Amino acid sequence: IRDSKSSDDVLNSTIQYEGEPLDAEYAYNLSLKLFSLISCVYDKFAKLFDDSSNPLGKDSIKKDEFYNFFKMETCRLQLVDASILDEKLKLVFFINIYHTMSMHAYVEKNYPDNLVSRLALLNSCLYRIGPYLLSLVDIEHSILRSQSSKPSIFGASLLFSRFKKGDPRSVLALNNAYPKISFIITPLSFSGPPLRVVTTENIDKLMEYSTREYLQNTVKIIPLSKCVKLPKILEWYKKDFATNTKELLLWVVQYLE
């Protein structure tokens, strides 16, 4: 799928793997390993990431032996059949892969300084997972948010298109909606929720904790003007949480106590 894309767009194409698909446990553990590896790269080069205007910084990361080991390991995703994962494994697997891919893309590509270019990058950077090529938009909107409302953003249907009917990648989509995923996943941005490794053991508590943490840090109550300033993400995905503004505010309040 998406084989018309150039090999430069496929971030995990350093090695071509062939063979039997890996089992569910291996796929899950691989997602944890890859997230851990790229997180170590970010820790190692923290000062360079703080100075994103320095192109030489990324060059030194790309030459790093540990980073190149990480790149080789991402190629193992070619042997993953994500369709065999149960719902919870699939949720955890794709959250970790989404964050891994976001950080990987940040190193490999020039980070855009405007929204339109950033959205283009989200659509163009790809991972081959089993037989399928998936972009960050595919993973977020066609898999993780497959049962959620579309964001209330102008042009959302075009910018965040979902798998069309008959697309074989549809077998990867989650069967249930997970509204609080908005407070866990972070795309190519440092302004979203903090990145954390997600496991089958911590996913439920992490969703609750991350929701409370994010809302307490971003919701602003202005007593003098009797106003409540909500983060943009609640504007975009309001329908996931409430049918009207009053319901939304009541939902938010429970996490501010």
Side-chain angles (χ1 to χ4, degrees):
I1 309 299
R2 285 178 175 263
D3 279 333
S4 60
K5 294 285 185 179
S6 75
S7 59
D8 290 341
D9 294 322
V10 184
L11 300 177
N12 65 330
S13 59
T14 307
I15 301 173
Q16 300 301 315
Y17 277 103
E18 293 182 3
E20 292 297 314
L22 303 170
D23 62 30
E25 182 180 2
Y26 189 98
Y28 167 66
N29 287 328
L30 180 60
S31 78
L32 301 180
K33 179 181 182 180
L34 294 177
F35 180 80
S36 176
L37 289 174
I38 191 63
S39 296
C40 288
V41 171
Y42 270 57
D43 289 342
K44 182 177 180 180
F45 292 97
K47 290 183 179 179
L48 293 180
F49 285 111
D50 288 340
D51 184 11
S52 58
S53 63
N54 178 10
L56 296 178
K58 285 192 176 181
D59 286 342
S60 63
I61 297 170
K62 290 177 184 178
K63 294 174 183 176
D64 181 70
E65 185 176 345
F66 189 79
Y67 174 69
N68 281 287
F69 171 71
F70 157 76
K71 284 181 65 176
M72 303 266 285
E73 289 298 288
T74 64
C75 298
R76 296 184 187 278
L77 289 169
Q78 298 166 20
L79 294 176
V80 168
D81 181 2
S83 67
I84 67 172
L85 304 181
D86 64 30
E87 182 83 353
K88 179 171 273 191
L89 274 177
K90 194 179 288 185
L91 173 64
V92 169
F93 173 83
F94 277 110
I95 291 174
N96 287 325
I97 293 304
Y98 181 84
H99 287 148
T100 298
M101 188 175 170
S102 291
M103 292 190 280
H104 191 173
Y106 187 81
V107 175
E108 291 294 323
K109 304 293 183 179
N110 291 324
Y111 189 68
D113 57 3
N114 63 77
L115 181 60
V116 174
S117 298
R118 197 172 301 171
L119 290 172
L121 185 59
L122 291 173
N123 268 299
S124 63
C125 289
L126 307 168
Y127 266 177
R128 183 177 292 280
I129 301 178
Y132 307 120
L133 287 178
L134 298 167
S135 69
L136 286 163
V137 167
D138 292 331
I139 293 175
E140 179 175 353
H141 294 279
S142 293
I143 297 176
L144 295 174
R145 295 188 189 273
S146 61
Q147 305 302 319
S148 302
S149 63
K150 290 187 177 180
S152 298
I153 302 172
F154 179 76
S157 295
L158 293 174
L159 296 172
F160 309 113
S161 60
R162 291 180 174 169
F163 296 150
K164 293 184 172 65
K165 186 177 180 180
D167 190 322
R169 295 174 297 170
S170 297
V171 297
L172 305 177
L174 295 173
N175 296 317
N176 300 296
Y178 300 91
K180 292 172 186 173
I181 203 171
S182 293
F183 310 111
I184 290 183
I185 59 174
T186 300
L188 285 164
S189 165
F190 291 119
S191 61
L195 297 180
R196 296 184 172 100
V197 65
V198 181
T199 69
T200 52
E201 290 79 18
N202 75 5
I203 180 62
D204 296 322
K205 288 183 179 179
L206 187 58
M207 280 195 177
E208 283 299 309
Y209 176 83
S210 297
T211 300
R212 185 175 300 277
E213 178 187 48
Y214 186 80
L215 293 178
Q216 289 184 353
N217 288 334
T218 58
V219 174
K220 306 298 180 186
I221 299 175
I222 310 170
L224 289 178
S225 56
K226 296 181 179 179
C227 289
V228 178
K229 187 176 181 181
L230 300 177
K232 282 288 184 183
I233 204 160
L234 288 180
E235 273 185 49
W236 299 337
Y237 296 102
K238 176 181 174 180
K239 293 177 182 177
D240 284 349
F241 305 101
T243 57
N244 56 58
T245 302
K246 182 180 178 180
E247 278 186 15
L248 181 62
L249 289 173
L250 290 172
W251 182 83
V252 167
V253 164
Q254 66 181 313
Y255 289 99
L256 302 182
E257 297 172 345

